[in-house]
Amino acid sequence: MLDGLTWDLVALQLFTGLALGAVYVLLAVGLSLIFGMLTVVNFAHGAFYLVGAYVGYEVLTLGGSFWLSLAVVPAAVGLLGLAVERVLIRPLYGRSVDDPLLLTFGLGYVITELVRIAFGKSGLPFDTPDALQGAADIGIGFFPLYRLFVMAVTAAVLLALWVALERTRFGLIIRAGARDPVIVRVLGVDVATVWLAVFGIGTAIAGLAGLMAAPLQGVAPEMGSTILAEAFVVTVVGGMGSLAGAVAAGLVVGVVVSMTSLVAPEMAKVSIFALMAVVLLVRPQGFFGRAGLMSG
Amino acid sequence: MAVSSILARPAAAVTSPWLLAAVRHRFLLAAAALLLMPALVPFTALATSILVYGLYAVGFNLMFGYLGALSFGHAALFGAGAYGCGIVLASLGWPWWLALAAGTASGFAMAAALGTIAIRARGIYFSMVTLALAQCVYYAFYQAAGVTGGENGLMLPALGRIRVAGLALDGDAPLTRYYIVAAFVILALFALSRILASPFGAALEAVRENEARARASGYDVAATRLLAFALSGAFCGLAGALQALQLSIVPIETLSIDTSGLAVMMCLLGGAGTYFGPFVGAAAFLLLEASVSVWTVHWQLAVGAVFVACVLFFRRGLWGSVVAWVGR
Amino acid sequence: MVDEAASDAVGRRAVLTAAAGALAFAATPFGVRSARAQERPIRIGFPTPLTGPYGAEAQNQVAAAQLAVAQFNEAGGLAGRQAELLVRDDKLNPGEAATRTLELIESEKVDFIVGGLSASVQLAVNNITRERKVLFNSISQSDVINEAKDFSRYTFHEALNPHMTAGAVGRYAFGRFGKRVVYLTADYAYGHEMVRGFQAVGDAMGVMTLADISHPIGTTDFSTLMPRIQALKPDILCLCNFGRDQQIAVKQAADFGLKRNIKIITPILVHTARVAGGPAAFEGVVGGTSYYWGLESTIPTAKSFNDAFRQRNGGRVPTDYGSMAYGGVRSVLAAVKAAGTADTERVVDALQALRYDFYKGPEYYRACDHQAVQSVFIITSKSKDMASPEDVFSVLSTEAPDELHLRSCAELGHA
């Protein structure tokens, strides 16, 4: 099974895992941001990811470039997110925490089916942009240029988020709100607008993640639901609501999948959920989650 | 607590003597409704599906409606029952009624095992943990293809000629099979009404309404939650076992995340925390799906939209609304 | 509903005693159905996954199956008796397929069932039809139901199977592209059947299996498997997976530069997967198929099938899966005509004796397992000179029908 195993191969495998983890991070960060601030478990996250991929496809079909879609997709999906928060989620604040979860669960069905109606039931091709085709020598072997680009985009998004959260007034409110929403409201901050914005940002990142995935796998209506469970695993392992946790868990999950693929590839998917079970047994709140948060 | 007071059992505020009588005899009324169902539904296989999924939603409702814990992993319990029944039937050749018992026990055991891990988590974490554990179960059963059939599913012999109380029945005649399934579902409903009326039922309600107060009142909260989960597993296990008998196959999809979602949808549609709501929810869901899918392949749009509308405007669900309206 | 229970008086009486009132009520709205005329149409149940990832294939299947029924009716039916198709959505879920099949048999009283796209769905349908002695012609490209333990007199299999397609592709490719092979296999029975099909041919040709790497079905990222495949330096990468799995694997193998010195082959190159993957990713990939519309330049029945299909479907062409649905329905109706009755036992006899050429050249059902013996076409993906969006493959070679290319009856467990 493992003949021909060299250190270069192991190193390349590790790197592949980190690159895969970058996609997970991008997905989990949006999910965690929305949960941390709004305590909304967004079961429609996969659907926003799906919409992102299809908006990117549409931009290309209309003659736009991949680079244009890098701007259009987050804007369009973010707008959709704003509308969803304003019309569907906002009436649920103050009700049971299960309600937004249940609503977004149904919403995921609706969005996915609308995509099927608009774009058809079978998958559509999405070619890697010309400038990012081919593989680059990273010292331990050749690695697709596009996957390096995805890692860079993830890093850029994280940097932007860090700056926004740590260096702006808006970020201060969000951090305070994540710690104690009641106090923030008492202090007279317009929480409603902040929550709206957070939901928009979270969904915009989900859309961007979908766009990033499109050249890797093409677009298909099923892509959102398959990724959803994995995104939740990453979020829960990292600690729900923790951005640092989402980053750490995303990379760990990527590496675990990659290393499992090397020794027992058919177990790659189980490994994700087994990891989660183990982490939760040892540390029920995940890597960076706070115990007692969301206890009902 | 996770579930607000609108989900409280409607029996509490009832004044009309008719309604009081109806609530007292809700088991008999429910049983009568199930016995009449084949006359009201387009075809018998659909009626049997409503029974099976209704019972599955009843099991889910015990956790969600009565205890206030939203599980997204109930497919593992339903699937454990289906496979438990299927494996003893296909590989060990046990009689069908013993296989049903094995399915119920499997559901109970699976719930006890998963519950030991999951029950420590609260609120949203509980939903997430049950989801992940159910995924683990899915892959474990998928990999154990030698016993479970893996992707191809587990094929079972048809029920064929069976003997019940000295009578020879054709288990493959649709209506006969319906009433065999109905008999077990009604038995389960009877068990449910006994459980809810017992001190344990009161403990459930106490834990849902205020965990801290329940603990202070001397209830063992952890044991209550675990027992509720295990009992929920027994109901779902029986439902899964009946499903296996009805379809003569246990597909791996039985354990999928979609099956978990189905319980949530049906329970919410019918009315969480109501006695008969899960059956109304199952019937509404399956009839909606069957009728919409006749004129469009995009039936999921309608199902999703109805679900969203239910959460937004109709949180009591169909049956819950009826009960609340009558009880005014 | 109730009338079939009447044939089983004992069962019915027992139920009546158990729930007399309920049943009396139940009987009223449905009892009226019993007086059904002898001249009712011949009904064919057709479960197919209209929703889910193979919805496009399913739609093409429905159109092709309806064409077969229409042609039968236009030709006068069975002495004036018409046929009709009852389409049901199986959602690619065996449980749903089983429920729908029960409905088709018990409520709709179908005479025959044709359909089943995935291996597990056809098994679920077959498990019900064989107990109830209903003829089922499967169009899933897996032949597990032909094995003795699942087979029955009422089980037919019109589609190809992994042993035939993988065998044909192996015979074509191993001599041409090299003997060092890595398999990338979807981890389920169907994927492993494909590997066995290749290895049955490869062993005789001195082919060396470097690795058989299984991946979970539904994998969307194959990147973690690529470094290992590269390190093994094979001549050929055999993709023993299907649908979206195959499409993503092909694309990511191309991204990792595998195609520079490795030839990618696959037992089944599906029309819609190629369309979804795009010409660039699939360029040069070689695979097998049961049908490609472009065969019309060499096969006369393919031409007439395509023309009839185009005429009814706005100029669109039938896909590989569509053609199987056409063949499956048309052969059953041809057997009905040959038998002069819709009686199941006599139609089964007629179908066993049938020699037909409806869309892809001559075919017949092998006696021991009812597998359709038919030709396999080796195709490759086009990336240039495409005349239309549907012009995606070119045909490299044709392997003529031959029982020697099937698993033997003894191997399948038939006496």
Side-chain angles (χ1 to χ4, degrees):
Chain A
M1 183 71 215
L2 287 178
D3 33 314
L5 194 66
T6 62
W7 284 114
D8 269 6
L9 178 56
V10 173
L12 192 58
Q13 197 74 30
L14 195 68
F15 188 79
T16 310
L18 291 173
L20 181 62
V23 182
Y24 287 134
V25 169
L26 212 47
L27 263 166
V29 154
L31 206 54
S32 216
L33 190 67
I34 292 173
F35 181 78
M37 184 67 191
L38 279 59
T39 59
V40 167
V41 179
N42 183 14
F43 259 61
H45 206 68
F48 288 109
Y49 166 89
L50 169 70
V51 172
Y54 271 92
V55 170
Y57 175 85
E58 190 60 23
V59 169
L60 289 189
T61 324
L62 295 176
S65 71
F66 181 76
W67 311 107
L68 179 65
S69 62
L70 272 181
V72 173
V73 166
V77 181
L79 276 176
L80 177 65
L82 292 181
V84 165
E85 198 277 349
R86 188 66 194 79
V87 178
L88 298 174
I89 311 275
R90 191 169 294 183
L92 302 179
Y93 294 138
R95 285 169 52 172
S96 151
V97 289
D98 294 335
D99 280 23
L101 185 159
L102 295 168
L103 181 123
T104 49
F105 175 69
L107 182 64
Y109 274 76
V110 173
I111 293 178
T112 306
E113 211 50 47
L114 287 175
V115 167
R116 283 205 182 98
I117 292 171
F119 293 93
K121 285 181 281 189
S122 43
L124 296 164
F126 198 116
D127 285 331
T128 313
D130 288 340
L132 297 173
Q133 275 178 7
D137 190 352
I138 54 167
I140 42 174
F142 282 87
F143 202 74
L145 212 51
Y146 181 74
R147 282 180 191 262
L148 297 174
F149 172 75
V150 173
M151 292 174 96
V153 168
T154 303
V157 168
L158 291 177
L159 186 67
L161 267 182
W162 182 78
V163 170
L165 287 175
E166 299 290 330
R167 294 284 181 268
T168 64
R169 195 184 105 80
F170 176 69
L172 190 70
I173 296 171
I174 291 185
R175 279 181 293 141
R179 210 146 294 161
D180 196 338
V182 181
I183 293 289
V184 173
R185 217 171 309 160
V186 169
L187 289 173
V189 175
D190 179 8
V191 195
T193 311
V194 176
W195 288 10
L196 180 70
V198 168
F199 199 85
I201 294 170
T203 50
I205 299 175
L208 185 64
L211 176 65
M212 289 295 106
L216 294 175
Q217 48 173 265
V219 297
E222 286 73 35
M223 64 193 290
S225 51
T226 47
I227 204 82
L228 185 67
E230 288 163 21
F232 273 121
V233 170
V234 173
T235 317
V236 173
V237 166
M240 294 192 72
S242 159
L243 293 188
V247 176
L251 295 178
V252 167
V253 167
V255 169
V256 165
V257 169
S258 187
M259 287 305 156
T260 314
S261 300
L262 192 58
V263 287
E266 65 276 7
M267 306 300 281
K269 269 194 180 175
V270 203
S271 68
I272 300 182
F273 295 99
L275 170 76
M276 169 161 175
V278 171
V279 168
L280 289 175
L281 269 179
V282 181
R283 204 178 149 77
Q285 70 272 34
F287 291 167
F288 294 96
R290 276 160 295 133
L293 178 77
M294 292 316 301
S295 56
Chain B
M1 255 336 280
V3 172
S4 50
S5 56
I6 50 164
L7 292 179
R9 272 192 290 160
V14 170
T15 47
S16 139
W18 279 101
L19 205 60
L20 272 175
V23 169
R24 190 167 311 127
H25 299 294
R26 59 188 179 177
F27 161 68
L28 291 177
L29 291 172
L34 295 184
L35 288 174
L36 291 176
M37 190 161 58
L40 310 169
V41 168
F43 55 95
T44 315
L46 186 64
T48 314
S49 285
I50 294 173
L51 279 184
V52 167
Y53 283 115
L55 181 60
Y56 172 41
V58 161
F60 171 80
N61 192 28
L62 191 62
M63 282 307 282
F64 181 54
Y66 290 101
L67 187 67
L70 170 55
S71 153
F72 248 90
H74 258 56
L77 315 183
F78 185 64
Y83 277 105
C85 169
I87 288 168
V88 300
L89 213 53
S91 331
L92 305 180
W94 288 16
W96 63 277
W97 49 273
L98 212 53
L100 285 181
T104 313
S106 308
F108 184 88
M110 177 67 81
L114 299 190
T116 313
I117 306 173
I119 220 73
R120 297 193 299 156
R122 294 289 197 279
I124 297 296
Y125 276 113
F126 179 74
S127 312
M128 295 296 107
V129 173
T130 46
L131 187 154
L133 288 174
Q135 289 293 97
C136 288
V137 171
Y138 173 92
Y139 288 115
F141 276 66
Y142 190 102
Q143 292 294 336
V147 197
T148 63
E151 160 81 13
N152 279 344
L154 183 67
M155 247 58 68
L156 313 179
L159 207 43
R161 301 253 153 209
I162 56 174
R163 293 191 70 80
V164 178
L167 287 166
L169 301 178
D170 177 7
D172 294 336
L175 212 53
T176 311
R177 205 171 47 226
Y178 175 86
Y179 283 106
I180 292 170
V181 174
F184 283 92
V185 171
I186 289 168
L187 203 66
L189 272 179
F190 179 70
L192 177 69
S193 64
R194 301 310 302 160
I195 290 171
L196 293 178
S198 72
F200 176 72
L204 281 183
E205 205 165 336
V207 170
R208 179 190 66 208
E209 289 310 320
N210 190 327
E211 209 172 286
R213 196 184 305 154
R215 193 174 287 115
S217 313
Y219 288 114
D220 185 342
V221 171
T224 305
R225 287 170 60 94
L226 183 58
L227 184 56
F229 199 62
L231 286 174
S232 169
F235 283 112
C236 295
L238 176 60
L242 292 169
Q243 169 91 324
L245 278 194
Q246 156 74 357
L247 299 181
S248 324
I249 178 174
V250 185
I252 190 69
E253 284 81 354
T254 313
L255 286 167
S256 76
I257 197 169
D258 289 330
T259 309
S260 293
L262 219 49
V264 182
M265 279 207 184
M266 287 172 172
C267 184
L268 204 75
L269 210 55
T274 62
Y275 182 76
F276 193 60
F279 288 97
V280 175
F285 182 93
L286 293 171
L287 287 170
L288 178 74
E289 188 188 285
S291 52
V292 175
S293 65
V294 167
W295 53 267
T296 172
V297 295
H298 298 293
W299 53 270
Q300 289 195 340
L301 184 66
V303 167
V306 166
F307 189 78
V308 167
C310 252
V311 178
L312 274 178
F313 310 115
F314 219 41
R315 188 61 169 79
R316 286 188 174 111
L318 294 170
W319 187 248
S321 299
V322 170
V323 170
W325 182 75
V326 174
R328 272 186 314 174
Chain C
M1 297 276 88
V2 176
D3 43 349
E4 77 268 27
S7 64
D8 178 36
V10 184
R12 181 140 180 231
R13 205 175 307 130
V15 171
L16 276 168
T17 43
L23 197 66
F25 181 64
T28 38
F30 292 99
V32 279
R33 274 202 202 179
S34 52
R36 195 175 272 137
Q38 197 56 40
E39 271 306 293
R40 71 184 198 93
I42 299 161
R43 306 186 125 189
I44 300 178
F46 192 77
T48 187
L50 290 169
T51 49
Y54 299 109
E57 277 88 349
Q59 262 169 341
N60 205 285
Q61 287 190 329
V62 171
Q66 270 161 348
L67 172 63
V69 169
Q71 287 177 334
F72 175 81
N73 289 341
E74 280 158 19
L78 176 65
R81 203 174 151 196
Q82 302 276 289
E84 67 176 345
L85 192 74
L86 284 80
V87 179
R88 291 292 182 276
D89 183 7
D90 68 34
K91 298 175 193 154
L92 209 66
N93 178 334
E96 185 69 25
T99 308
R100 295 288 143 195
T101 305
L102 287 172
E103 181 219 335
L104 284 168
I105 295 174
E106 293 168 357
S107 306
E108 303 292 353
K109 307 278 186 294
V110 294
D111 299 284
F112 315 105
I113 291 188
V114 180
L117 192 146
S118 80
S120 51
V121 162
Q122 70 161 357
L123 283 167
V125 173
N126 184 57
N127 202 39
I128 287 172
T129 51
R130 93 183 146 165
E131 298 280 355
R132 290 163 178 77
K133 298 188 168 36
V134 174
L135 192 159
F136 170 47
N137 197 354
S138 165
I139 51 175
S140 159
Q141 298 211 55
S142 157
D143 65 341
V144 271
I145 59 168
N146 296 85
E147 290 173 15
K149 68 179 171 55
D150 284 298
F151 177 76
S152 76
R153 173 175 154 76
Y154 308 96
T155 305
F156 286 80
H157 193 252
E158 164 66 25
L160 283 170
N161 62 49
H163 191 85
M164 293 163 79
T165 46
V169 173
R171 276 183 288 275
Y172 178 84
F174 290 149
R176 284 181 173 81
F177 308 128
K179 300 277 166 81
R180 292 165 50 83
V181 178
V182 168
Y183 296 97
L184 183 58
T185 310
D187 189 25
Y188 66 136
Y190 186 48
H192 298 302
E193 282 168 34
M194 292 178 177
V195 176
R196 277 204 307 274
F198 273 122
Q199 287 177 336
V201 173
D203 289 348
M205 296 173 77
V207 167
M208 184 163 56
T209 300
L210 300 178
D212 178 4
I213 302 172
S214 302
H215 66 80
I217 187 172
T219 294
T220 52
D221 198 296
F222 292 85
S223 65
T224 56
L225 303 173
M226 296 301 168
R228 174 116 194 276
I229 296 173
Q230 269 171 325
L232 288 164
K233 296 190 172 42
D235 301 318
I236 295 177
L237 175 63
C238 278
L239 296 180
C240 296
N241 49 18
F242 187 77
R244 188 157 157 76
D245 281 2
Q246 183 184 98
Q247 171 224 318
I248 297 175
V250 165
K251 179 153 181 54
Q252 297 183 350
D255 289 346
F256 271 79
L258 257 59
K259 287 208 292 194
R260 271 197 301 268
N261 32 30
I262 301 172
K263 189 74 181 175
I264 297 181
I265 65 174
T266 178
I268 304 173
L269 200 44
V270 176
H271 195 116
T272 43
R274 156 62 184 78
V275 172
F282 270 88
E283 185 183 4
V285 176
V286 169
T289 189
S290 68
Y291 185 76
Y292 173 58
W293 67 271
L295 291 165
E296 64 185 14
S297 56
T298 50
I299 299 175
T301 48
K303 175 87 175 112
S304 47
F305 168 49
N306 287 345
D307 287 345
F309 190 95
R310 283 193 189 102
Q311 196 201 335
R312 280 166 191 275
N313 296 285
R316 287 185 302 126
V317 292
T319 63
D320 35 15
Y321 269 90
S323 74
M324 285 181 251
Y326 178 76
V329 172
R330 191 160 164 195
S331 60
V332 169
L333 287 173
V336 167
K337 211 150 196 175
T341 168
D343 173 68
T344 301
E345 297 300 331
R346 290 174 58 193
V347 173
V348 167
D349 292 337
L351 205 50
Q352 284 173 327
L354 198 67
R355 296 287 179 276
Y356 59 101
D357 176 1
F358 294 146
Y359 69 105
K360 63 177 292 187
E363 288 184 70
Y364 65 95
Y365 293 102
R366 182 164 71 169
C368 73
D369 67 342
H370 296 173
Q371 166 63 43
V373 182
Q374 57 189 301
S375 42
V376 181
F377 306 99
I378 310 294
I379 53 177
T380 188
S381 179
K382 274 188 176 182
S383 62
K384 44 184 178 292
D385 307 326
M386 290 176 288
S388 70
E390 285 156 336
D391 182 20
V392 292
F393 297 127
S394 46
V395 180
L396 298 173
S397 150
T398 300
E399 190 171 273
D402 188 343
E403 282 195 25
L404 288 175
H405 294 156
L406 274 60
R407 277 195 289 170
S408 72
C409 294
E411 210 177 321
L412 292 167
H414 299 285

